[in-house]
Each structure stands twice: as C-alpha cells, then as structure tokens.
Amino acid sequence: MELHSFPLHPSQMDIVKRNPTREDWWAGSAPSGPFIYTPFSKGEPNHSSKQDLVWVVGEPVQVLVELANPCGFDLMVDSIYLSVHSENFDAFPIRANLPPNSSKVITLSGIPTKVGPVSIPGCIVHCFGVITEHFFKDVDNLLLGAAQGLVLSDPFRCCGSAKLKNISVPSISVVPSLPLLVSHVVGGDGAVILYEGEIRDVWISLANAGTVPVEQAHISLSGKNQDSVTSIAYETLKSALPLKPGAEVIIPVTLKAWQLGLVDSDAAASKNISGSAGRQAKDGSSPMLLIHYAGNYLT
C-alpha cells in the first residue's frame, strides 16, 4: 500500500484570501478553474516540496491510495480506512478485492470534524481476521530500497504499477465551517447553444449546501466577450442575503451571442462534417461568470 495523491473533492473550490479592510475584498483574485470561489485565508503560498492543504469542517475529502497484491491468489480486504492520529477526522471504511499479481488505486474518504492540524500517517487494514496499521513512510522506504537494489522485489512494479512516485504527506490544516454554494443552470443539461446575434435569458440556481449562512456575495465576469452578458440580476442575489443553509436563489442572466471571428469560423467549418453553415465558438472564447462569497469574517 502506498500513497497516491490528494485530489480535490467536487464540492471543494478555490480558497481566496480575504482582506477585511477592503469592501471589494474579491478584487485581484485571478480565476484558476472552478466556477465558484470560497473566500478564506490560507496563508502565503508554500514553495517547498510539500504541499499545504486546507480542509473545511464538515466537507468531505478524498485521498487516493494504491494497493498491490503480489500473491498468486485473490486478496479480499475486509475494510481499509485512513489512520488519523489527530482525532479531528472521521474516516469511512471500504472493502477492496485484489486479483492475483495486480494493483489498484482506491479512494478513501472522510470528513474533518474539528479545527486544527490533521495527521494521516497511513491506513488501518482489516484482512484475514487481523487488524494492522500500515504507514506510508514504511512503504516509501521499501520502494526506495527496491529502486536502489537493496530490496529483492518491488511489490508494485511486479504487479504492473507505474513508476515509483515520491508523494509526501502534505501539511493539512482544518478551518472552521464555510458556506458552500452549489450552482446549476435551471432546465436543460447545463449547456446553452446560441446562434450569432441571438438573445436568450438563462436562470442560474445558487443553493447554500453548507452549514454557514452566506453573508456576502459578488458576481463578476472574466475572460473574453464579456459584453455578450448583457444583464445580470445583481439585486436578486443581494436581496436574498443572508442565504441560510439549505436556501436557494435563482438569478436571471441575459446572454447575446457574439459574432465569430474569421479564425473561429474557419476552425468550425473544418470540423463540420455535414457541411452545414453552423459555426461554433472555439474553447476559451466564452466569458466566465465568477461568484465570490463569504460568511461572517473570522478574526
């Protein structure tokens, strides 16, 4: 068993440093992917080899762990879950079945329960009626010894696993509960297709799936063709604040399809097998709607 990675759960968003002395505390925060941003200070960036992680009380998190079975028979793991020595994390056990001479990456999850640092040295494994604690550090030393020729066999490489990974357990801290907005486009499958010059109203639902009210929220635009968003009902969102846990607000947004440039038209035409006159905007040309939100400021 070895540590694979610490992926982001779908509900986790970017955490933006919040400046309480500025009314527009969201200004200057550059988008890096997610649709919604949660403002909370996570300190200065860490340039060391270890990555710092910030988890939130009550929000599920995931850790990927790779298992290997170098034996010639099936291996049934009755239960495996993260070993947490800090007593502020509830780990969820799962079962796993490993065929002979195989490896598998599994997802172990849990929920932080209290504020403070989290220590995850390894996993608790229940197999063949025996409960043991496996430490990531011990496995790393075994794999390093195999790579240097000090150990006869690498159980992961002989099971077809990828090359040795040097994954360090990051420094993990848990912060108090934050509001958690979940968004979706009302109706349809979340995609909107417009013809050039067409104007259409869409409705975006924002629901607070967290346990903390949303006290502040701000909508802004980023990316190209921002003028294609002709109106956003800012007052509708503002009048719904504070948005309590479980509450929902629906915001109308008016879109106008922009005129495609010559490069976009040629690229779309080359991909159009049917030869029709339909044209599509290339990736990255659409504007992005950003929503910064926060609960009560914590001092």
Side-chain angles (χ1 to χ4, degrees), residues 3-6 49-51 53 136 140 165-171:
L3 180 63
H4 186 276
S5 61
F6 285 79
S49 59
K50 281 192 175 183
Q51 177 188 10
L53 289 181
F136 296 134
D140 291 341
K165 313 178 189 68
N166 290 322
I167 304 296
S168 300
V169 178
S171 174

Side-chain angles (χ1 to χ4, degrees), residues 169-188:
V169 178
S171 174
I172 306 173
S173 59
V174 179
V175 298
S177 299
L178 297 174
L180 180 62
L181 282 182
V182 177
S183 65
H184 71 273
V185 177
V186 178

Side-chain angles (χ1 to χ4, degrees), residues 82-218:
L82 296 172
S83 172
V84 181
H85 293 179
S86 50
E87 298 184 353
N88 59 344
F89 185 88
D90 288 341
F92 303 144
I94 65 170
R95 301 184 66 183
N97 183 30
L98 294 173
N101 301 311
S102 67
S103 63
K104 177 189 297 185
V105 176
I106 62 173
T107 301
L108 300 180
S109 60
I111 294 181
T113 57
K114 296 179 182 178
V115 175
V118 174
S119 173
I120 304 179
C123 294
I124 303 294
V125 179
H126 184 191
C127 187
F128 298 121
V130 179
I131 299 178
T132 56
E133 183 174 14
H134 295 255
F135 296 99
F136 296 134
K137 186 176 181 179
D138 293 343
V139 178
D140 291 341
N141 292 335
L142 172 64
L143 298 181
L144 182 60
Q148 297 175 347
L150 303 177
V151 179
L152 294 179
S153 176
D154 180 342
F156 291 93
R157 295 297 296 275
C158 69
C159 292
S161 179
K163 190 178 179 181
L164 170 66
K165 313 178 189 68
N166 290 322
I167 304 296
S168 300
V169 178
S171 174
I172 306 173
S173 59
V174 179
V175 298
S177 299
L178 297 174
L180 180 62
L181 282 182
V182 177
S183 65
H184 71 273
V185 177
V186 178
D189 57 0
V192 178
I193 299 178
L194 302 178
Y195 294 98
E196 289 183 9
E198 181 182 358
I199 299 177
R200 184 182 301 183
D201 291 332
V202 296
W203 288 265
I204 298 177
S205 169
L206 297 175
N208 186 0
T211 59
V212 177
V214 177
E215 301 287 346
Q216 302 178 36
H218 176 77

Side-chain angles (χ1 to χ4, degrees), residues 57-69:
V57 170
E59 295 187 13
V61 296
Q62 296 178 340
V63 178
L64 297 186
V65 175
E66 185 172 7
L67 305 179
N69 177 20

Side-chain angles (χ1 to χ4, degrees), residues 218-266:
H218 176 77
I219 301 178
S220 59
L221 294 172
S222 178
K224 300 180 180 179
N225 298 302
Q226 296 184 23
D227 55 352
S228 64
V229 182
T230 59
S231 69
I232 302 175
Y234 298 101
E235 293 301 323
T236 301
L237 176 60
K238 186 176 180 180
S239 62
L241 299 177
L243 193 65
K244 297 181 179 180
E248 178 187 25
V249 59
I250 297 179
I251 303 173
V253 177
T254 302
L255 303 177
K256 180 180 180 180
W258 60 91
Q259 184 177 5
L260 297 181
L262 181 61
V263 175
D264 293 338
S265 301
D266 293 342

